[in-house]
Amino acid sequence: MSYAAYAAELPFIIVEFFCLPMGHLEPKRKGNVLKNMPREVALITLISFVFVLCFQLFSTNVSLIVAARGFGGTAQSATASTVMTVAGIFAGLLVGPLFKKFKNRAMPLAWCVTILGLVLTLVAPTLGVLCVAGFVTSLGKETYVPLQGNFAAGNSTNEGRAFNLAIGMAGTNFGMALSPLFFEAATAPFGAQISQKFVLGIVIIAVLVVFGMVHYAKLTPAQEAEEKAQAAAREAAAREVASC
């Protein structure tokens, strides 16, 4: 019955349906949508899949960790999971400033935060530390997801933007779904211990960080063009206001 709590979202969905602006329809795309997907969008989708594959280690193992370390039972596991979800509120406040200061490198920086959370989870001696670890792990992921969406949108043509964003989210969800299967299979020859899974996940994200700090050192040409267009629009709006 606890899942029935999700029904509370229904009134908000109805309000959004009537109150959100319709927006503009995309121009009709010509040709195969996957074939025309920009390389950078395909790459960030793959990266999102791998990153979330590792991030999901906390959610899929937190109950086992609580039980194995004697932190409690179901209530304590639920507490750690709840604290984890709260991180999204704070992540929303970080996305804008991070991108403004670090541009695309804000993405690998967010991955570093998740690494810190996974390391804390690996060594957490108490339930309190485990809750902090879940918060930090989720903070990195919830900060990265909108940055990833912004990157995919900035590197998409107008007619492919919605499709590319959908593909990016599909990669994220696919990673979450396959995480338990992947890490169970990858560590099975060594005993499939929780600690082994976390070490493997940390190593994988660390490789992503190294790649990201190099590959995302600069804005892509598409992002630079969009920033110039936005700057020109702001200047035009400022001149119009000044003339009034």
Side-chain angles (χ1 to χ4, degrees):
M1 291 299 294
S2 60
Y3 284 97
Y6 287 110
E9 296 182 8
L10 185 59
F12 297 99
I13 294 173
I14 296 173
V15 170
E16 289 172 352
F17 179 81
F18 288 103
C19 296
L20 286 178
M22 293 292 292
H24 301 285
L25 293 176
E26 291 184 349
K28 189 174 181 179
R29 178 187 283 272
K30 297 179 180 179
N32 185 282
V33 290
L34 291 174
K35 184 178 179 180
N36 293 330
M37 179 186 294
R39 185 181 68 89
E40 285 291 354
V41 175
L43 179 60
I44 200 64
T45 298
L46 176 61
I47 288 174
S48 296
F49 168 78
V50 175
F51 169 68
V52 176
L53 193 79
C54 302
F55 155 80
Q56 191 69 355
L57 279 168
F58 183 91
S59 296
T60 54
N61 289 282
V62 63
S63 297
L64 295 174
I65 292 172
V66 168
R69 299 180 187 175
F71 295 161
T74 304
Q76 287 71 29
S77 299
T79 299
S81 297
T82 300
V83 172
M84 183 182 184
T85 62
V86 175
I89 300 173
F90 297 91
L93 303 175
L94 299 175
V95 173
L98 277 175
F99 183 77
K100 184 177 181 180
K101 185 173 181 61
F102 298 105
K103 301 302 181 184
N104 288 336
R105 276 185 169 171
M107 293 189 291
L109 289 176
W111 304 335
C112 288
V113 175
T114 292
I115 288 179
L116 177 60
L118 292 178
V119 171
L120 281 175
T121 305
L122 190 60
V123 301
T126 64
L127 178 63
V129 176
L130 184 64
C131 290
V132 172
F135 179 88
V136 174
T137 302
S138 183
L139 184 66
K141 182 256 187 180
E142 297 299 334
T143 302
Y144 165 69
V145 169
L147 287 169
Q148 174 263 333
N150 179 64
F151 180 83
N155 285 280
S156 301
T157 58
N158 290 335
E159 62 270 22
R161 187 163 291 177
F163 176 82
N164 291 340
L165 288 173
I167 287 292
M169 290 307 300
T172 299
N173 294 330
F174 200 41
M176 294 177 73
L178 288 185
S179 179
L181 299 175
F182 171 80
F183 282 100
E184 187 70 22
T187 58
F190 311 100
Q193 300 296 316
I194 292 177
S195 58
Q196 295 170 345
K197 297 176 183 179
F198 272 77
V199 169
L200 178 59
I202 290 167
V203 170
I204 292 173
I205 300 179
V207 172
L208 290 182
V209 170
V210 173
F211 172 80
M213 293 301 289
V214 175
H215 185 73
Y216 297 117
K218 298 179 180 179
L219 293 176
T220 64
Q223 287 178 301
E224 290 178 347
E226 185 175 12
E227 282 210 340
K228 289 179 181 178
Q230 291 176 351
R234 287 193 296 268
E235 290 178 3
R239 287 195 297 269
E240 185 176 347
V241 171
S243 63
C244 295

